Amino acid sequence: MPGKVILGAQWGDEGKGKFIDIFAGEADLVVRSQGGNNAGHTVVVGTEKYKLQLIPSGILYPNCVNVIGPGVVVDPRNVLSEIDGLAEKGIGADKLFIDARCHCILPWHLELDALSEKARGGDDIGTTKKGIGPTYMDKAERIGVRMHDFVGERFEEVMREACARKNKVITGVYGGEPIDIEAVLAEYRVYADRLRAHVKDTSVMTYDAIKAGKDVLFEGAQGTLLDLDMGTYPYVTSSHPVAGGCCIGSGVGPTAITDIMGIFKSYTTRVGKGPFPTELFDETGDYIRTAGGEFGTVTGRPRRTGWFDAVIARYAVRVNGLTEMVINKIDPLRGLSKLKVCVGYRFKGETITEFPANFADLEHCEPIYEEFDGFDEDITNCRSFDELPESVRAYIRELERIVGCRVSMLGVGPARDQVITI
């Protein structure tokens, strides 16, 4: 498995955590390469449910090394809270390492995130208000606080400089209350002391593992259509959840990657604002939302639901270079007499089959559907493709044909073992 990427191929929330967990059990090293604690992976082990936001899923395996790569933004308070929560369940973090280049999410980033969204009014992006965007903005402006300074001798110097700079924006631009730097220093110095032993040059660790022929899993967060460049801008995240982002955000070259697995739901969901051609506003949409438990891991927000969009899927195959697809959460479709797949869009009187570069055009795209038979059988106990009802097998084979990529695995329930390998 050397150099395997597992990523979300829609708007996130595809159930990546489950499949990352499956492969993490075989991995020597698991790398998270982008985003921050705005992402969420839910892993079910027996009766225990783990909700991971920043820490890689390999943390559930005692022999696995877990890396938070240089492309990730890290909230010190949040990552320590996650470490403490795992410790309460008997899971240690002695093999968790954070790259020294990671940028820190600090109290002024959280404040600016909230103030910026409020100032947008009805034109807000719908961020999680976790400070992710403002931290990446500081990174691009080259004024951010990196982890090596946060845990190093320059802690107080860089924190005071950053806070003073941001207080001018908080008070002068937004009319907010300034951040109390003395309170921040007292609180965050404790976090720095606790995190110091975890901070390393993880790009060396990752490179050495690959050179040694070890199995390295690159764990994607969020989804392809949330990518800053390739997603449905401006309703995107501030980093790169596509396969190429795994290289930049982990500090290794593309030749380190051999396999790229894209996770799809058997339907489509989206959180927050933005165009969504196959969105369902009827009882079917409500049925899928309830049956699939479509509520955010991090925010708890109900997700928008719609039919599977093969235009999006083909786009994900192309921009990520997918070598295989996983179709997850088929079981929530049980009880629907017909299943629909969007195979193209009608746009200004024409049929288009490629995802538009101007994502504002999606607002005016009408989905073109192919229809397939549904199923009533309980498939959650199926463990082989042949055990599935004929209509489900036909649906999967048609998705392969329409999208043009091999389906290698299916998810038929939330638990680790509710998986079919094809």
Side-chain angles (χ1 to χ4, degrees):
M1 189 184 71
K4 187 179 187 71
V5 174
I6 300 180
L7 54 79
Q10 295 161 313
W11 273 294
D13 308 312
E14 302 93 349
K16 297 177 293 297
K18 171 181 176 174
F19 293 91
I20 289 167
D21 173 61
I22 290 170
F23 286 94
E26 306 170 7
D28 297 296
L29 189 142
V30 178
V31 186
R32 170 81 181 273
S33 57
Q34 52 79 217
N37 57 305
N38 55 338
H41 289 165
T42 301
V43 179
V44 179
V45 183
T47 59
E48 191 71 67
K49 182 181 286 188
Y50 299 91
K51 292 187 176 183
L52 304 172
Q53 293 184 17
L54 189 63
I55 295 177
S57 301
I59 199 73
L60 302 179
Y61 297 94
N63 295 322
C64 185
V65 175
N66 295 268
V67 163
I68 296 176
V72 180
V73 290
V74 177
D75 184 328
R77 177 166 50 191
N78 178 270
V79 74
L80 285 167
S81 175
E82 202 167 337
I83 287 171
D84 292 342
L86 288 166
E88 290 174 2
K89 297 181 178 181
I91 297 171
D94 58 308
K95 292 190 176 181
L96 171 67
F97 299 99
I98 302 170
D99 194 85
R101 303 172 187 84
C102 287
H103 281 249
C104 296
I105 302 171
L106 298 164
W108 40 90
H109 297 123
L110 300 171
E111 182 69 9
L112 285 167
D113 206 353
L115 289 170
S116 175
E117 280 289 272
K118 183 178 179 181
R120 290 174 181 269
D123 294 325
D124 64 299
I125 300 296
T127 77
T128 57
K129 298 185 178 66
K130 302 284 186 179
I132 310 298
T135 307
Y136 276 115
M137 288 170 65
D138 280 4
K139 179 179 179 178
E141 198 177 350
R142 299 175 290 279
I143 58 172
V145 175
R146 301 215 295 183
M147 190 60 71
H148 59 76
D149 281 331
F150 182 75
V151 301
E153 295 179 357
R154 297 184 66 231
F155 168 80
E156 185 168 336
E157 176 188 347
V158 297
M159 293 287 279
R160 286 189 183 279
E161 288 177 358
C163 187
R165 185 184 296 114
K166 293 305 174 182
N167 271 341
K168 291 178 182 179
V169 180
I170 290 169
T171 59
V173 176
Y174 294 107
E177 292 295 320
I179 300 291
D180 181 352
I181 184 57
E182 300 304 331
V184 170
L185 289 175
E187 178 184 356
Y188 278 72
R189 189 175 283 109
V190 176
Y191 303 155
D193 289 341
R194 289 190 60 192
L195 287 174
R196 189 169 294 114
H198 295 278
V199 177
K200 306 287 183 185
D201 184 346
T202 65
S203 68
V204 173
M205 298 171 64
T206 306
Y207 181 74
D208 286 348
I210 291 167
K211 278 190 68 177
K214 294 183 177 180
D215 289 333
V216 177
L217 178 64
F218 296 88
E219 173 182 302
Q222 299 150 318
T224 296
L225 295 184
L226 296 176
D227 186 88
L228 182 59
D229 288 326
M230 304 307 294
T232 47
Y233 191 90
Y235 301 103
V236 293
T237 193
S238 304
S239 59
H240 297 288
V242 293
C246 293
C247 295
I248 298 170
S250 60
V252 298
T255 54
I257 294 172
T258 54
D259 300 292
I260 306 173
M261 172 184 280
I263 312 298
F264 299 82
K265 286 176 183 167
S266 64
Y267 48 93
T268 310
T269 65
R270 181 165 197 178
V271 171
K273 297 185 176 183
F276 185 173
T278 67
E279 185 170 9
L280 295 167
F281 300 96
D282 56 10
E283 292 180 355
T284 301
D286 292 337
Y287 178 91
I288 293 172
R289 182 180 300 107
T290 301
E294 296 299 343
F295 300 90
T297 300
V298 175
T299 64
R301 289 183 290 188
R303 297 172 185 143
R304 299 156 65 189
T305 56
W307 293 117
F308 188 91
D309 190 330
V311 180
I312 287 174
R314 289 193 293 265
Y315 181 71
V317 169
R318 174 163 61 86
V319 301
N320 290 299
L322 297 186
T323 57
E324 56 189 304
M325 297 194 300
V326 171
I327 305 299
N328 192 32
K329 300 188 79 165
I330 305 171
D331 47 299
L333 298 182
R334 177 189 180 187
L336 297 173
S337 60
K338 294 294 180 180
L339 306 179
K340 294 182 179 181
V341 175
C342 173
V343 297
Y345 303 141
R346 287 192 185 88
F347 177 67
K348 295 184 177 180
E350 296 185 1
T351 297
I352 61 174
T353 56
E354 293 293 341
F355 203 59
N358 180 358
F359 301 120
D361 291 344
L362 283 181
E363 296 281 8
H364 309 287
C365 285
E366 177 187 349
I368 301 169
Y369 287 116
E370 287 189 18
E371 197 170 86
F372 306 95
D373 290 335
F375 63 99
D376 291 316
E377 298 89 340
D378 180 0
I379 63 171
T380 57
N381 292 317
C382 294
R383 295 296 180 270
S384 72
F385 192 69
D386 291 340
E387 291 180 70
L388 292 169
E390 172 55 35
S391 57
V392 177
R393 297 200 303 271
Y395 178 66
I396 298 303
R397 292 308 184 202
E398 285 302 300
L399 290 185
E400 282 187 318
R401 176 186 65 81
I402 295 166
V403 176
C405 186
R406 178 177 69 93
V407 175
S408 61
M409 298 179 77
L410 308 174
V412 294
R416 257 181 182 172
D417 65 339
Q418 289 180 302
V419 169
I420 293 172
T421 300
I422 303 177

